[in-house]
Amino acid sequence: MCGLLSAQAVGTVKGKLIDSIGKQSLKNASVEILMAKDSSRSMIGLAKTDGSFEIKNIPSGNYIVRLSFQSYASQSRNIKITKANQEIDLGNIYLVSTADRLPDVVVTQSAVQIKKDTVEFSASNFAVKPNAVAEDLLKKIPGIDVDKTGAIKSQGEAVQRILVNGKRFFGDDPKMATKNLPPDVIDKIQVFDDLSDQSKFTGFDDGNRVKTINITTKKNTSKGYFGKAVAAVGTDGNYDESFNIHRFDGNTQISALGQANNINKQNFTPQDMSGGGGGRGGGGFNSGTSGITTTLGGGLNMKTSWGKMNSSAYGSYFYNNLKGDVEQQSQTQTLITTDSSTFKNSTSSSASNTVNHRINFNLEENFDSSNSLVARPNIAFQTSTPNSSSSTTTTGTTGSLINSSVNHSNSYNSGYNISGANIQLRHKFNKKFRTISLDIGFSNSANDGDGNSYAVNSFFGAHKVDTLNQYYVDSFHSFSFTPTLSYTEPLAQNQILEFRYSYNTNTNHSVNNTYEYNNITNVYDRFDSLYSNSYRYNASSNTFSLSYRLQEAKYNFNIGSGIQFTDYKSENTVKNIIVAHNYVNITPTANFTYNFKKTENLRIFYSGRTGQPSVSNLQPLKTISGLDTAMGNPDLKPQFTNSLRILYTSFDPVTQHIMFATINASATTNDIQSSIIQHSNGTKTT
């Protein structure tokens, strides 16, 4: 081969391209060397600044030289390279302008591609208005819906996670990316059901999927700065200010953003962690769409990677300060019998100020090809000062007064929440698919608060008026710890067996002590057991499971089951009531995927899960809230839910037609529901 090549003649063709009218040179005009026998391309080059070109090292033979430039008519020349004719000069070549002609060939990128279970959309195929954000681009993409709050659904399912270049962006808050990234830096939108870290490592699909969108940025944005700033002032003192700036430099990415407005606009998802134990004081910010909200927020997100094993660390800090004011009016009709109703008219006003600090961190350390560590701790701190007033009047069918209630309350709450703090240690053996991993999950939260409540409840039929002047102290502390050990063993080249053991312990301690105002001492020193409800809750479980996987070219199949032993004890420390149970549950799973072809597949997921009754569901005592009472049931059994999920995706690359079909079905045994009894005096018992 080397001898033949060294003996073969090579030649050069050169010339100069010039505009036929203006006589200017045609820089970057295309010069193609085509094989004469079949017009296949052999070599290609571009004209220089002065329009000249020179193509060297052309093997001997017959060729067609095609010369072209946008908005000009192409020209062709036939040449022959031989030993005697190795240098061919075509001289000056004048191209004629054809401004009214479209280019001979227009190459466009496919708008949609299917890659296994990922649907990929090319962002350049969906036009958006200037100054848009990524959310506006998503609204254009078929199969994706974005509502007025910014919540996203894909193929009918809620999107829970948005990734940027495969990594989490400001934690798991989808709005951080969709409401802050500009569309002109986006290359692709990828939609898929993300597996858990454990499933990705072992190859076992445990059925726990998270609907995910991955935003990939253009290559030319991988190094440099981009961002956006908005400043707006309106009537009645309204304002809307925001900014975001991003710096991408290879493996390092830094993003900073901030906003301040009083027009109910949040470029993030408000999170309230005080509802878990704040009792009646509880509640910080109402994250709904009602009322008028003043927002002040900002944060920083950083990501970097290093080493041959592509280890990475990324994290973020976000601060938000939300002030909400809500005025509400409601009219409610309750049907007691076919000819008897009550009518309730209510007005209320509330104001709250919630301050939240969120810190997210991710570490993925690949020590070598066999050992790795993943850690994802998240922590949030919050304070809130909610206060509210309400007035309610209830009348009967004839319009006669039944009862009325006037309430005022204010409180202060503070707390923290550590969640998703998973640490995973993983090892791969030399034998393919033989792995062992330890996943340690834990969470810890606390919320402490106190407040005052003043209410006047009038019952006109009984000629009775109750006045409540109370001070209460609330606290809720929770801790959970869940280590999971998993081992996978290959049975054959395409078959794997997984053994898994998991232990879970959960401890809750809630205090809700209420004190009545003492008119003699002028302090709140009378303990009120009727409005107090404190308890300790401990639960633990041991789960053993075995799963089998078969992997073929066209399909893969998982089936498995586990047995779970659960013990829990709930103790009401005010009423001295103890409720204790132990259960044995079965947790079956099955998953099946069939690939009809590369662009068409069917996926089926089945799981059986137990649900335990809550502490308040089980306690056999009355608790009072306003005019209404509630009572638990200590004889409740765990509920068991069978869930079935079927997903079908088909894509025709020729017509660009894409079809999604999703079926979700579930059936629950021993479903835990509330029985609500309406009383003729306008109150109810749950």
Side-chain angles (χ1 to χ4, degrees), residues 341-604:
S341 300
T342 60
F343 300 87
K344 181 183 291 185
N345 293 293
S346 300
T347 61
S348 65
S349 63
S350 63
S352 64
N353 183 196
T354 300
V355 178
N356 190 291
H357 303 263
R358 284 186 268 172
I359 302 171
N360 300 284
F361 183 72
N362 294 264
L363 172 65
E364 299 176 9
E365 176 65 58
N366 299 309
F367 302 106
D368 50 44
S369 59
S370 301
N371 300 282
S372 62
L373 167 69
V374 176
R376 291 199 172 100
N378 303 312
I379 186 169
F381 300 92
Q382 178 177 291
T383 60
S384 62
T385 54
N387 62 81
S388 63
S389 298
S390 65
S391 175
T392 302
T393 301
T394 304
T395 59
T397 307
T398 61
S400 58
L401 287 172
I402 297 177
N403 62 53
S404 67
S405 177
V406 177
N407 290 274
H408 302 278
S409 68
N410 60 83
S411 65
Y412 172 83
N413 296 277
S414 66
Y416 67 87
N417 183 30
I418 302 174
S419 63
N422 286 47
I423 299 175
Q424 300 172 16
L425 294 168
R426 307 182 297 195
H427 174 74
K428 290 183 179 180
F429 295 92
N430 292 332
K431 189 173 184 179
K432 189 177 182 181
F433 295 127
R434 179 179 288 171
T435 68
I436 188 169
S437 61
L438 176 63
D439 187 338
I440 301 174
F442 66 91
S443 65
N444 187 19
S445 65
N447 181 48
D448 298 292
D450 65 328
N452 293 89
S453 176
Y454 182 83
V456 178
N457 301 319
S458 301
F459 300 89
F460 296 102
H463 303 287
K464 178 183 177 183
V465 177
D466 287 337
T467 300
L468 300 176
N469 187 359
Q470 300 171 328
Y471 168 76
Y472 49 85
V473 178
D474 287 339
S475 71
F476 180 80
H477 294 247
S478 175
F479 174 80
S480 68
F481 176 67
T482 308
T484 300
L485 183 66
S486 174
Y487 175 79
T488 61
E489 177 66 27
L491 302 179
Q493 186 176 2
N494 61 341
Q495 300 177 56
I496 315 172
L497 204 63
E498 181 190 44
F499 304 89
R500 179 179 292 194
Y501 166 72
S502 178
Y503 172 77
N504 173 262
T505 180
N506 185 14
T507 301
N508 296 333
H509 182 205
S510 175
V511 174
N512 180 250
N513 291 332
T514 302
Y515 302 88
E516 292 182 352
Y517 184 76
N518 190 331
N519 292 317
I520 299 175
T521 61
N522 295 323
V523 294
Y524 296 93
D525 57 7
R526 292 180 177 176
F527 181 74
D528 191 338
S529 61
L530 186 62
Y531 286 87
S532 299
N533 186 21
S534 302
Y535 63 84
R536 295 180 183 273
Y537 174 81
N538 295 279
S540 62
S541 65
N542 293 272
T543 305
F544 304 85
S545 61
L546 178 67
S547 301
Y548 167 81
R549 178 180 181 184
L550 174 65
Q551 177 76 53
E552 295 288 353
K554 279 274 190 182
Y555 66 89
N556 65 72
F557 177 64
N558 287 8
I559 187 170
S561 184
I563 183 168
Q564 184 181 68
F565 302 91
T566 302
D567 299 285
Y568 71 82
K569 177 182 178 181
S570 173
E571 178 184 2
N572 187 289
T573 56
V574 176
K575 312 297 194 298
N576 196 27
I577 298 174
I578 297 177
V579 178
H581 286 291
N582 55 74
Y583 300 106
V584 178
N585 301 304
I586 304 297
T587 58
T589 60
N591 306 317
F592 176 76
T593 299
Y594 189 86
N595 300 304
F596 301 97
K597 48 189 176 182
K598 287 184 178 180
T599 58
E600 184 181 13
N601 62 62
L602 175 69
R603 289 172 288 160
I604 302 174

